[in-house]
C-alpha cells in the first residue's frame, strides 16, 4: 500500500505562548489524516504538518489553527 503524504507550514504570530503552541499542536493532531506536527522552540511560530491529502487539506488545517488561535497563514503556497 502506497500512502501519499503532503506537508504544509503554518505561520502564527511570533509571540505565541507555550500554552497556545501546545493547544495548536493538539488541535492539529486531532484532525483525521494528520500524520505528524512539528514545532520547535527556536521557530515557535512555525508548525510543519504532514498529512494525507485524501483525508484533509491545507485549508482545513489552517482553519483549525485560526479557530483555536485566531490567526495563521499558510507558508509557501
Amino acid at each position: 500500500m502506497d500512502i501519499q503524504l503532503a506537508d504544509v507550514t503554518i505561520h502564527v504570530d511570533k509571540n505565541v505562548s507555550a500554552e497556545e503552541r501546545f493547544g495548536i499542536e493538539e488541535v492539529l493532531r486531532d484532525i483525521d489524516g494528520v500524520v505528524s506536527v512539528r514545532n520547535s522552540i527556536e521557530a515557535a511560530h512555525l508548525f510543519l504538518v504532514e498529512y494525507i491529502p485524501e483525508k484533509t487539506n491545507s485549508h482545513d488545517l489552517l482553519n483549525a489553527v485560526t479557530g483555536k488561535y485566531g490567526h495563521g497563514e499558510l507558508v509557501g503556497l
Side-chain angles (χ1 to χ4, degrees):
M1 182 164 91
D2 188 26
I3 298 175
Q4 298 297 317
L5 298 176
D7 57 58
V8 66
T9 301
I10 299 175
H11 174 270
V12 298
D13 184 8
K14 286 195 179 215
N15 297 322
V16 65
S17 71
E19 183 178 320
E20 289 170 320
R21 248 181 40 231
F22 177 77
I24 292 168
E25 288 178 14
E26 189 174 73
V27 164
L28 289 167
R29 285 190 177 100
D30 285 344
I31 296 172
D32 186 33
V34 170
V35 176
S36 70
V37 178
R38 290 183 289 255
N39 176 258
S40 68
I41 292 176
E42 295 81 21
H45 61 292
L46 298 175
F47 294 82
L48 179 59
V49 185
E50 188 171 31
Y51 63 96
I52 301 169
E54 291 177 357
K55 294 190 174 194
T56 192
N57 61 63
S58 59
H59 294 287
D60 289 343
L61 300 172
L62 178 62
N63 288 338
V65 170
T66 58
K68 172 72 177 178
Y69 182 65
H71 174 266
E73 301 171 316
L74 297 176
V75 177
L77 294 176

